């Protein structure tokens, strides 16, 4: 089609739009294929009009045109499928799966199987990748953002996304100009001619024999659809990176980082790695559009903060080197560096490679010239395990290797590396082989042996492409290979002209790639697609070079040595592929290759000249040197632990030294103390465990087994704060109700239970005001009285294989790389503020307030997504509606309850009746009821749809007690029974009758006021904390006291004149019924569980008194008798 014809289409589109022929406009857009109306596409996508969305797209691209098109259609159909599942329309979901998604099975069968398996889940959010999926509206919005990025990068949409700029009513103007010109050709033109048609050329009547007007024809041709651009190349998978480059002759030969984590492409031209990718034979640098991933396409439903990264990319320098600091830090302190020698270990053979465990920061793997691999516990200076080299299966090795090893049996380790999760150790050798061990406690179990390369395997690393743990290797055969954990070769990368010396797998947001360096000094970059190298650059020195990223992945460094012995340490400008800075301080030529490492996103260390040299990343001048008290080789090898507080350095006498800073010294001392306590406890445990086991009856053991393993376990209540939708069926009691008195279990010593204190939790100026477990059970979230929320997470590792919260493993104080805090808007008078918090069902967002506006935080980035409900009045309690996350019940300081719709930012109704501020809210889906409690010691029952008041009830307080103090409410799993806690009592209500059926009041050893209470996840126990530090465990059915945890069991011994520590809030784990967490007034948070021997709180044992007045060998407890022998203390 000619250019004029194309422009005519745009003129018609403008005319139709001005005349409000909307459907015709979009029909012409689609049929011509000249202009893709992104606003119209957005409107239809957000409205879920999927048929129209795909019909409109079909005018511009088809499913199999290229990778971008395939990804676009996949995202649309996947969203349509998920929505069908979300509204429980299984028949529609199956139809979509068979008709719409089946096409993708041809390209990726595993992907199709994974999508199909979502049908088997009750809620597809149980799939880990979809756990962040919110409601339909937000999911469509995120999907549209993804689609917009894909469309902008798709070559088929190039020059079709912008409507040409021209004046309004341009077609009318041209017609008028034509008519004027025709009129001027009239022999006898009349003034103000009356033009009645455009179908014929204009002419004024030739009454005086004027000549005929010569017709004027516009060059209008048929509007035909233009031919497509050349499709992107195919690389074997449906969403693999493409090779359809767009020449960029003005760009430097550089690298380009991906600026956005939650999309698969960048607007315009996007890189699939931090490099601007280049084909080896091209002169110009080619920018490759970032291709969609090969995963399920489950997008990140978070909004990550990348303004700084974007700023860095935009302002990247084009000079070869710059020296200004791009990452300002406080001035470097030598105290941060591990410079003090704390121990020296003798290995016995030359240490060639070392790596610290990613989580156990004092566990060091060492590889030697003898082929031996050793695990050292540097805290105790002991060898944990040693594995001499041996061939596991000679028959499976190649004939070349068998011949080589027979002629020359000596073999050395070239690299030892931990997997990111710490469960595997990879070892590469100087001849062919790679070994992978599974690390289990103090054992290394043979997992995988690979005859990987011909000659030396020079380097090894773990990577995680497409969410699959893999081993990446390189060798003298000039190849890089990627293996899965079964030994299957997934990729072979060819392109180097010399032996490959090192590899550096990395993930830049959603894109995964590998850097490699060779002995000819070439740097290449590879995507996991078998499409060849994307980068071909020369490393400084052009010989042996190693590349490393900083711990946060934001900065890239390389270190190496030339054949002449000159050493180089440089930082790269990722945006331009140029050197950003070259570090100074290498004094003489080396006879070998220098080694380096990075730590804390701040420091670099290099072993050279019989010492360790340190640099601040932002300063090219050397910071300091350390000789480690002598004994280092000319070029020592070194390795930091993950915390950067320990540094292992090889010695000249076949060993290594451990250097530490002050934090590292404390880590080592803490390990020594734990080792001593563990050895002491193990002796005590042998006695107590045997005694306890001998006293347990088979019936009790059977009950324990049912409680932990039976599929009949009730659905847990999440968080212990907000009431969510629960099972309608009343859960079965898993324990027989024993009418005999129960012996009260008293825990008074730390050895009688398991406990862990959250790291960095103590804050004497801010008590813990609210405390939640995440719904997944892997984290604890605390809201302080200062409005700051802190999150701790447990990792999945050998000590904690399910990754759930446990008192046996210390969690990590979790923060995003940005360093943001989840800090609320705080009132001017924080002492009077009432902190409140609620967590979304999928743990994606947390909503909280502390006297100011309510803030909605993203749990991944800690960014504030929105704020609402500014005071006055201030919010005092928050609860999500169990059936609609867009509806929030908000208790207010002025005693009202606002039913707020987040989506439309509107208060739908206000409930009034309380006299003081709201302290608790709980929904029951079974009863369609909202229960509210206030500081006025009243309960109100409201219908959860019409919001009418059904009944109010005043809590029965002791005589003379004023109706003050927080009252909390929480529904049982059966959604009928209601736990009500007040400082004066615990009560169980039958919410269907709105009547109190059980009550317990503080007495005897538990006579102090109650501070907090919560059901266990299976609603069989009630946990309560008291102002004197005691924690009580009750049987939930009758409020019978089962166990008392004394403050001495979990609190430090008080010091003279110190303020008493009070448990402010208690909460229960969402899956483990015997685990609780408590927040204290000193800001600390503790997780507490029964001992391994007992496994449960207050195991029921029948009480029988002997003649000497003892019960089961123990003196009778008056507290136990008073609380369990009669109903005098259990008021009905």
């Amino acid at each position: 089609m000619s250019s004029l014809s194309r422009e005519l289409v745009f003129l018609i589109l403008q005319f139709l739009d001005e005349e409000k022929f909307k459907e015709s406009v979009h029909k012409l857009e689609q049929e011509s294929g000249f202009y893709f109306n992104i606003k119209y596409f957005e409107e239809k996508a957000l409205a879920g009009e999927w048929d129209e969305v795909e019909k409109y797209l079909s005018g511009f691209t088809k499913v199999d045109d290229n990778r971008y098109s395939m990804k676009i259609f996949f995202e649309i159909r996947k969203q349509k499928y998920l929505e069908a599942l979300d509204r429980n329309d299984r028949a529609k979901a199956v139809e979509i799966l068979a008709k719409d998604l089946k096409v993708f099975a041809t390209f990726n069968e595993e992907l199709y199987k994974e999508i199909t398996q979502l049908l088997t889940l009750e809620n597809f959010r149980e799939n880990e990748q979809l756990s962040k999926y919110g409601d339909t509206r937000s999911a469509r919005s995120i999907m549209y953002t993804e689609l917009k990025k894909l469309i902008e990068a798709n070559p088929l949409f190039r020059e079709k996304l912008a409507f040409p700029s021209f004046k309004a009513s341009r077609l009318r103007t041209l017609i008028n100009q034509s008519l004027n010109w025709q009129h001027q050709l009239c022999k006898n033109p009349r003034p103000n001619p009356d033009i009645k048609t455009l179908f014929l050329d204009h002419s004024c009547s030739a009454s005086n024999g004027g000549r005929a007007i010569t017709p004027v024809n516009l060059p209008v041709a048929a509007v035909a659809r233009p031919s497509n651009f050349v499709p992107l190349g195919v690389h074997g998978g449906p969403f693999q990176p493409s090779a359809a480059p767009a020449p960029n002759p003005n760009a430097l030969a550089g690298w380009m980082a991906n600026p956005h984590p939650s999309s698969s492409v960048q607007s315009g031209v996007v890189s699939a790695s931090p490099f601007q990718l280049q084909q080896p034979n091209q002169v110009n640098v080619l920018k490759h559009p970032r291709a969609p991933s090969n995963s399920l396409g489950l997008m990140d439903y978070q909004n990550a903060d990348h303004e700084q990264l974007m700023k860095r990319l935009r302002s990247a320098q084009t000079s070869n080197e710059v020296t200004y600091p791009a990452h300002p830090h406080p001035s470097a302190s030598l105290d941060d560096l591990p410079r003090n020698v704390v121990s020296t270990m003798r290995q016995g053979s030359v240490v060639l490679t070392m790596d610290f465990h990613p989580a156990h920061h004092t566990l060091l793997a060492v590889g030697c010239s003898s082929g031996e691999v050793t695990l050292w516990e540097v805290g105790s200076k002991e060898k944990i395990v040693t594995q001499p080299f041996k061939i596991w299966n000679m028959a499976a090795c190649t004939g070349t290797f068998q011949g080589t090893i027979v002629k020359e049996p000596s073999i050395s380790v070239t690299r030892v590396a931990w997997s990111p999760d710490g469960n595997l150790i990879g070892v590469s050798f100087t001849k062919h082989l790679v070994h992978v061990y599974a690390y289990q406690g103090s054992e290394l179990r043979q997992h995988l042996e690979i005859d990987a390369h011909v000659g030396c395997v020079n380097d090894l690393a773990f990577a995680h492409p497409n969410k699959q743990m893999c081993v990446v290797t390189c060798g003298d055969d000039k190849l890089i290979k990627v293996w899965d954990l079964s030994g299957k070769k997934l990729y072979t990368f060819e392109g180097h002209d010399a032996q490959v010396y090192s590899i550096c797998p990395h993930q830049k947001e959603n894109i995964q790639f590998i850097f490699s360096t060779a002995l000819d000094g070439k740097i290449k970059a590879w995507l996991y697609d078998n499409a060849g190298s994307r980068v071909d650059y020369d490393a400084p020195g052009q010989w042996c070079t190693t590349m490393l990223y900083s711990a946060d992945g934001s900065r890239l460094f390389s270190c190496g040595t030339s054949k002449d012995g000159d050493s180089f340490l440089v930082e790269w400008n990722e945006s331009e592929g140029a050197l950003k800075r070259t570090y100074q301080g290498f004094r003489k030529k080396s006879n070998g290759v220098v080694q380096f490492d990075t730590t804390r996103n701040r420091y670099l260390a290099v072993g050279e000249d019989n010492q360790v040299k340190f640099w601040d990343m932002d300063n090219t001048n050397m910071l300091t040197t350390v000789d480690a008290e002598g004994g280092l080789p000319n070029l020592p090898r070194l390795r930091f632990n993950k915390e950067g507080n320990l540094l292992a350095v090889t010695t000249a006498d076949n060993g290594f030294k451990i250097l530490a800073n002050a934090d590292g010294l404390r880590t080592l001392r803490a390990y020594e103390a734990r080792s001593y306590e563990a050895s002491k406890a193990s002796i005590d445990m042998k006695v107590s465990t045997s005694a306890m086991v001998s006293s347990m009856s088979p019936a009790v053991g059977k009950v324990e087994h049912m409680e932990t393993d039976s599929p009949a376990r009730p659905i847990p209540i999440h968080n212990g704060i907000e009431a969510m939708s629960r099972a309608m069926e009343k859960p079965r009691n898993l324990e027989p109700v024993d009418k005999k008195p129960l012996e009260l279990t008293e825990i008074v010593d730390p050895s009688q239970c398991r406990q862990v204190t959250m790291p960095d939790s103590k804050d004497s100026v801010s008590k813990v005001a609210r405390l939640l477990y995440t719904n997944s059970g892997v984290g604890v979230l605390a809201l302080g009285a200062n409005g700051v929320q802190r999150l701790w997470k447990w990792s999945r590792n050998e000590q904690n294989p399910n990754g759930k919260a446990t008192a046996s493993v210390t969690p990590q104080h979790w923060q995003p790389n940005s360093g943001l805090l989840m800090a609320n808007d705080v009132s001017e008078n924080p002492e009077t503020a009432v902190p409140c918090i609620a967590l979304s069902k999928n743990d994606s967002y947390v909503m909280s307030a502390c006297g100011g506006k309510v803030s909605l935080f993203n749990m991944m980035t800690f960014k504030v997504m929105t704020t609402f409900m500014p005071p006055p009045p201030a919010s005092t309690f928050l609860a999500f509606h169990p059936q609609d996350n867009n509806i929030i019940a908000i208790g207010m300081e002025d005693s009202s309850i606002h039913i707020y719709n987040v989506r439309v930012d509107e208060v739908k109704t206000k409930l009034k009746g309380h006299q003081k501020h709201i302290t608790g809210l709980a929904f029951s889906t079974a009863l369609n009821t909202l229960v509210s409690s206030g500081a006025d010691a009243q309960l109100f029952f409201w219908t959860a749809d019409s919001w009418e008041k059904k009944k109010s009830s005043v809590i029965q307080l002791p005589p003379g007690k004023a109706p003050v103090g927080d009252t909390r409410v929480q529904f049982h799993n059966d959604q009928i029974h209601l736990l009500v806690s007040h400082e004066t009592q615990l009560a169980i209500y039958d919410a269907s009758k709105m009547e109190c059926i059980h009550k317990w009041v503080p007495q005897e050893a538990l006579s102090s006021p109650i501070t907090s209470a919560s059901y266990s996840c299976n609603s069989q126990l009630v946990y309560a904390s008291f102002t004197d530090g005691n924690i009580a465990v009750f049987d939930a059915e009758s409020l019978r006291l089962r166990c008392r945890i004394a403050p001495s069991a979990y609190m430090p011994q008080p010091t003279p004149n110190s303020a008493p520590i009070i448990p402010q809030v208690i909460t229960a784990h969402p899956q483990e019924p015997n685990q609780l967490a408590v927040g204290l007034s000193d800001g600390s948070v503790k997780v507490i569980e029964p001992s391994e021997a007992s496994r449960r709180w207050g195991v029921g044992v029948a009480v029988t008194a002997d003649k000497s007045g003892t019960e089961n060998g123990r003196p009778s407890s008056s507290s136990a008798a008073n609380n369990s022998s009669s109903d005098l203390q259990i008021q009905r």
Side-chain angles (χ1 to χ4, degrees):
M1 179 180 288
S2 69
S3 174
L4 288 178
S5 298
R6 185 174 183 273
E7 291 179 2
L8 179 57
V9 172
F10 283 107
L11 294 177
I12 296 171
L13 286 172
Q14 183 196 56
F15 173 81
L16 293 173
D17 184 67
E18 289 173 343
E19 295 299 315
K20 309 300 182 184
F21 297 112
K22 296 299 184 182
E23 292 185 8
S24 300
V25 170
H26 304 312
K27 184 69 174 178
L28 181 56
E29 289 167 352
Q30 175 216 328
E31 291 187 347
S32 69
F34 285 147
Y35 173 62
F36 187 86
N37 190 327
I38 196 72
K39 290 186 178 180
Y40 175 71
F41 182 78
E42 177 185 9
E43 174 188 336
K44 296 303 178 183
L46 296 182
E49 297 180 23
W50 306 120
D51 292 340
E52 177 59 23
V53 166
E54 287 206 22
K55 182 179 178 182
Y56 188 70
L57 272 174
S58 67
F60 302 86
T61 184
K62 298 295 185 291
V63 174
D64 56 355
D65 277 350
N66 59 40
R67 294 295 168 271
Y68 300 95
S69 299
M70 184 169 290
K71 178 71 170 174
I72 289 168
F73 281 94
F74 175 77
E75 289 296 336
I76 292 169
R77 295 175 183 182
K78 183 196 71 182
Q79 180 63 30
K80 181 165 61 169
Y81 176 67
L82 293 179
E83 289 185 18
L85 290 176
D86 205 24
R87 61 178 182 265
N88 206 27
D89 190 348
R90 300 280 170 170
K92 184 65 175 177
V94 171
E95 179 184 345
I96 296 169
L97 189 68
K99 292 184 178 180
D100 297 332
L101 291 170
K102 182 68 174 179
V103 63
F104 302 105
T106 307
F107 301 91
N108 191 327
E109 187 174 356
E110 291 301 316
L111 170 64
Y112 185 74
K113 288 180 180 178
E114 187 171 0
I115 297 172
T116 303
Q117 288 173 357
L118 297 179
L119 283 168
T120 65
L121 303 178
E122 183 177 349
N123 186 336
F124 63 78
R125 294 174 181 83
E126 296 171 22
N127 182 293
E128 182 179 356
Q129 298 176 76
L130 289 168
S131 61
K132 302 294 188 296
Y133 186 99
D135 59 14
T136 298
R137 183 188 181 197
S138 61
R140 287 178 182 172
S141 178
I142 293 168
M143 175 207 65
Y144 169 71
T145 302
E146 179 84 350
L147 295 179
K148 187 170 184 286
K149 300 290 185 179
L150 287 163
I151 290 167
E152 289 172 345
N154 193 329
L156 296 180
F157 291 82
R158 194 168 296 148
E159 299 178 359
K160 297 183 182 181
L161 299 177
F163 199 92
S165 177
F166 47 86
K167 292 182 178 180
S169 303
R170 179 61 179 164
L171 184 58
R172 290 179 180 275
T173 300
L174 290 175
I175 292 173
N176 287 332
Q177 289 174 349
S178 173
L179 293 172
N180 287 332
W181 177 72
Q182 292 177 32
H183 185 59
Q184 290 173 10
L185 293 179
C186 293
K187 185 175 182 180
N188 298 302
R190 296 179 180 179
N192 303 316
D194 184 17
I195 300 174
K196 297 182 178 180
T197 181
L198 297 177
F199 294 156
L200 299 173
D201 292 338
H202 164 69
S203 65
C204 295
S205 61
S207 58
N208 295 324
R211 65 182 175 86
I213 303 301
T214 304
V216 179
N217 296 319
L218 291 177
V220 179
V223 179
R225 190 184 188 283
S227 59
N228 286 338
F229 289 86
V230 179
L232 300 183
V234 179
H235 302 303
F239 311 132
Q240 294 295 331
S242 75
N248 183 11
N250 298 320
L252 292 175
W255 309 332
M256 188 168 64
N258 163 41
H260 201 289
S262 63
S263 62
S264 293
V265 292
Q266 177 188 351
S267 300
V269 181
V270 184
S271 168
S273 79
F275 289 88
Q276 180 175 300
L277 307 178
Q278 175 181 355
Q279 298 292 350
N281 297 325
Q282 289 178 307
V283 177
N284 293 329
V285 175
L286 303 181
K287 292 184 178 181
H288 290 249
R290 176 179 169 188
S293 71
N294 193 16
S295 71
L296 186 58
L298 307 177
M299 297 167 292
D300 183 2
Y301 287 89
Q302 314 295 324
N303 294 312
D305 183 4
H306 284 266
E307 288 86 359
Q308 292 301 320
L309 180 57
M310 289 294 290
K311 182 179 179 181
R312 180 160 59 89
L313 294 174
R314 297 190 192 103
S315 61
Q317 300 298 310
T318 58
S319 59
N320 285 338
E321 183 174 343
V322 291
T323 57
Y324 63 87
H327 296 259
H329 288 289
S331 59
S333 170
L334 296 183
D335 292 338
D336 293 339
L337 300 173
R339 298 181 298 146
N340 303 310
V341 177
V342 294
S343 60
T344 301
M345 263 66 89
R346 175 82 174 176
Q347 179 63 40
S349 57
V350 178
V351 176
L352 298 176
T353 173
M354 301 175 290
D355 196 24
F356 276 99
H357 191 279
H360 186 166
H361 303 309
T362 58
L363 183 63
L364 180 69
V366 174
C368 307
S369 60
S370 63
E372 178 181 273
V373 177
T374 303
L375 294 187
W376 285 86
E377 176 46 70
V378 299
S380 61
K381 307 175 188 177
E382 295 176 339
K383 286 185 180 181
I384 303 299
V385 62
T386 296
Q387 290 285 354
F389 172 76
K390 67 177 180 179
I391 302 168
W392 299 348
N393 186 358
M394 178 66 85
C397 297
T398 62
T400 304
F401 171 71
Q402 295 182 32
T404 301
I405 200 69
V406 169
K407 292 179 183 178
E408 181 55 56
S410 64
I411 195 166
S412 300
V413 177
T414 58
R415 184 80 160 92
V416 61
W418 289 97
S419 63
D421 59 10
N423 293 330
L424 300 172
I425 299 177
V427 186
S428 58
F429 297 94
T430 51
K431 292 184 178 70
H432 288 245
L433 292 186
V434 166
H435 284 170
V436 178
Y437 292 94
Y439 172 61
Q440 297 180 334
S442 60
E443 297 181 358
L444 289 180
R445 179 176 54 82
Q446 295 177 3
H447 178 77
L448 177 64
E449 181 177 66
I450 308 173
D451 190 339
H453 294 269
V454 177
C456 180
V457 184
N458 291 315
D459 201 2
L460 170 147
F462 287 92
H464 210 256
N466 304 322
K467 303 188 183 301
Q468 177 184 13
M469 182 69 73
C470 296
V471 180
V472 185
T473 61
C474 66
D476 282 350
D477 55 7
K478 307 176 186 178
L479 301 176
I480 300 114
K481 299 182 181 181
V482 182
W483 316 81
D484 68 15
L485 295 183
S486 68
K488 178 184 177 182
K489 184 168 61 179
L490 302 178
Y491 302 97
T492 298
F493 301 133
E494 301 181 52
H496 277 292
D497 297 324
Q499 298 99 313
V500 185
Y501 177 73
S502 73
I503 49 177
C504 178
H506 190 62
Q507 177 172 342
K508 200 70 174 180
E509 313 306 351
N510 289 340
I511 297 301
Q512 297 176 336
F513 53 91
I514 303 169
F515 289 132
S516 60
T517 67
L519 293 185
D520 58 1
K522 293 294 184 182
I523 298 174
K524 293 182 183 293
W526 317 80
L527 299 176
Y528 294 91
D529 61 0
N530 287 325
S533 168
R534 305 305 219 284
V535 164
D536 190 357
Y537 294 102
D538 292 327
Q542 298 186 352
W543 195 42
C544 297
T545 298
T546 304
M547 306 186 79
L548 287 176
Y549 271 92
S550 57
D552 61 5
S554 65
R555 305 176 71 173
L556 178 63
F557 303 89
S558 71
C559 181
T561 305
S562 70
K563 292 181 179 179
D564 296 329
D566 296 319
S567 296
F568 299 87
L569 177 63
V570 301
E571 180 179 4
W572 293 90
N573 187 320
E574 289 186 280
S575 302
E576 300 297 335
L579 298 185
K580 189 172 184 177
R581 52 173 62 84
T582 299
Y583 298 91
Q584 309 298 321
F586 297 100
R587 297 182 180 176
K588 66 179 184 178
K589 294 185 179 298
S590 302
N591 294 324
V593 181
V594 296
Q595 306 291 322
F596 87 119
D597 200 5
T598 74
T599 188
R600 292 191 172 191
N601 304 311
R602 180 69 187 276
Y603 299 107
L604 301 164
V606 175
E608 192 226 22
D609 197 17
N610 306 97
Q611 57 189 338
V612 179
K613 300 182 176 181
F614 296 96
W615 284 265
D616 185 320
M617 289 179 178
D618 296 328
N619 194 325
T620 58
N621 296 319
M622 188 166 57
L623 183 62
T624 188
T625 62
V626 172
D627 65 1
E629 300 176 359
L632 302 187
N634 180 38
L635 299 173
R637 299 172 185 269
L638 47 84
R639 191 69 172 173
F640 287 103
N641 70 347
K642 188 175 181 180
E643 297 295 303
N645 54 26
L646 298 177
L647 176 64
V649 185
T650 59
T651 61
D653 59 352
N654 299 342
F656 60 93
K657 294 185 178 184
I658 299 298
L659 283 64
N661 61 13
D663 288 339
L665 286 171
R666 284 191 288 270
T667 298
L668 296 175
R669 289 169 183 162
Y671 177 84
E672 293 172 355
R674 287 197 304 271
S675 299
Y676 170 77
E677 292 297 331
S679 61
K680 179 177 181 295
S682 64
I683 298 173
D684 297 338
M685 186 63 73
K686 290 178 181 178
V687 177
S688 61
T689 302
S690 59
M692 182 166 289
V693 170
S694 63
S695 66
M696 289 183 181
S697 68
V700 174
K702 182 177 181 181
V703 170
E704 284 189 328
H705 176 76
M706 283 187 64
E707 179 175 317
T708 57
D709 300 327
S710 172
R713 291 170 63 187
I715 298 173
I717 287 184
H718 297 277
N719 298 333
I721 295 291
E722 61 182 72
M724 297 297 181
S725 179
R726 303 290 177 256
M728 296 300 102
E729 179 183 35
K730 183 174 180 179
R732 288 177 288 173
N733 286 327
L734 302 183
E735 302 176 23
V737 179
D738 190 353
K739 298 301 182 181
K740 297 180 181 180
L742 297 180
E743 179 184 9
L744 174 66
T745 302
E746 295 198 324
I747 297 175
V748 297
D749 189 85
S751 64
Q752 293 178 279
C753 62
R754 290 176 292 152
Q755 57 177 291
V756 63
T757 303
M758 304 299 99
D760 306 320
S761 65
K762 190 170 183 179
D763 185 354
S764 59
V765 300
S766 179
K767 65 182 181 182
V768 179
R770 299 289 179 261
L771 188 65
L772 305 176
Y773 277 96
T774 60
N775 293 307
S776 60
V778 301
V780 170
L781 179 65
L783 172 60
N786 60 355
V788 176
Q789 295 164 106
R790 294 171 293 169
L791 176 64
W792 293 270
K793 287 185 177 181
W794 278 258
S795 301
R796 189 186 304 272
N797 51 42
E798 187 68 27
Q799 291 77 28
N800 188 26
N802 63 9
K804 300 292 186 181
T806 173
S808 301
V809 176
T810 302
Q812 175 191 6
H813 183 197
W814 197 89
Q815 277 187 287
N817 292 333
S818 64
L820 283 176
L821 295 176
M822 284 194 286
N824 278 282
D825 177 35
V826 181
S827 65
E828 295 180 357
N829 189 5
E831 289 84 10
T832 62
V834 180
C836 52
I837 187 170
L839 187 62
S840 66
K841 296 177 184 178
N842 59 9
D843 295 336
S844 296
Y845 304 101
V846 62
M847 177 176 59
S848 57
C850 192
K853 294 179 288 187
V854 178
S855 299
L856 185 68
F857 293 90
N858 184 305
M859 284 282 283
M860 290 298 294
T861 64
F862 286 13
K863 289 183 65 176
V864 176
M865 308 307 297
T866 187
T867 59
F868 51 92
M869 304 297 291
S875 304
T876 57
F877 202 90
L878 304 168
F880 284 101
H881 192 288
Q883 296 174 321
D884 187 351
N885 263 350
N886 291 302
I887 302 298
I888 305 170
I890 306 177
M892 308 302 289
E893 188 178 35
D894 66 355
S895 77
S896 66
I897 301 166
H898 291 193
I899 306 302
Y900 176 75
N901 189 311
V902 179
R903 179 178 296 174
V904 298
D905 189 21
E906 180 182 342
V907 176
K908 291 296 185 182
T909 189
K910 296 182 181 180
L911 311 182
K912 297 183 179 180
H914 285 280
Q915 303 301 313
K916 296 183 179 179
H917 72 265
I918 305 301
T919 59
L921 296 166
F923 283 97
S924 168
T925 53
L927 301 176
N928 190 34
T929 296
L930 169 66
V931 178
S932 62
S933 59
D936 54 2
Q938 290 191 81
L939 302 178
F940 278 75
F941 296 80
W942 316 82
T943 57
D945 46 18
S946 62
W947 308 111
E948 297 176 354
K949 185 175 73 172
K950 300 189 333 187
K951 184 180 178 180
S952 63
S953 175
V954 178
I955 296 175
Q956 297 178 2
L957 300 176
K961 175 66 178 178
V964 295
D966 288 357
T967 307
R968 302 289 184 189
V969 287
Q970 181 189 3
F971 269 103
H972 187 284
N973 280 355
D974 63 9
Q975 295 282 286
I976 304 296
H977 292 91
L978 180 74
L979 172 65
V980 178
S981 62
H982 184 265
E983 64 179 49
T984 64
Q985 62 192 273
L986 297 175
I988 302 295
Y989 279 69
D990 183 335
S992 64
K993 301 177 182 178
M994 294 173 280
E995 295 177 354
C996 178
I997 56 176
H998 295 291
K999 187 166 74 171
W1000 181 93
V1001 296
Q1003 59 201 270
E1004 301 291 335
L1006 298 172
S1007 57
S1008 296
I1010 299 167
T1011 58
S1012 180
S1014 173
Y1015 274 123
S1016 64
C1017 65
N1018 60 5
S1019 295
Q1020 294 188 24
L1021 303 175
V1022 170
Y1023 299 114
S1025 56
F1026 298 79
T1027 56
D1028 60 2
N1030 278 299
I1031 295 174
V1033 184
F1034 297 87
D1035 175 38
E1037 185 177 6
S1038 61
L1039 290 181
R1040 178 182 294 175
L1041 183 62
R1042 301 178 63 165
C1043 178
R1044 181 179 75 91
I1045 306 171
S1048 58
Y1050 71 98
M1051 285 190 191
Q1053 292 296 324
T1055 58
N1057 301 321
S1058 63
I1061 300 175
I1062 300 171
Q1064 298 289 136
V1065 59
I1066 198 166
T1067 188
H1069 191 280
Q1071 287 105 36
E1072 295 296 331
N1074 289 285
Q1075 184 184 133
L1076 61 96
V1078 60
L1080 306 178
S1081 58
D1082 66 352
S1084 62
V1085 175
K1086 294 177 181 288
V1087 169
I1088 307 174
E1089 293 182 279
S1091 67
E1092 289 287 357
S1094 59
R1095 295 177 56 199
R1096 295 168 57 204
W1097 300 114
V1099 176
V1101 179
V1103 178
T1104 55
D1106 60 20
K1107 293 181 180 179
S1108 62
T1110 62
E1111 300 172 347
N1112 288 336
R1114 286 182 51 190
S1116 300
S1117 168
S1118 60
S1119 177
N1122 289 338
N1123 281 279
S1124 59
S1125 60
S1126 71
D1127 282 340
L1128 293 177
Q1129 310 300 334
I1130 306 295
Q1131 302 175 27
R1132 295 183 180 271

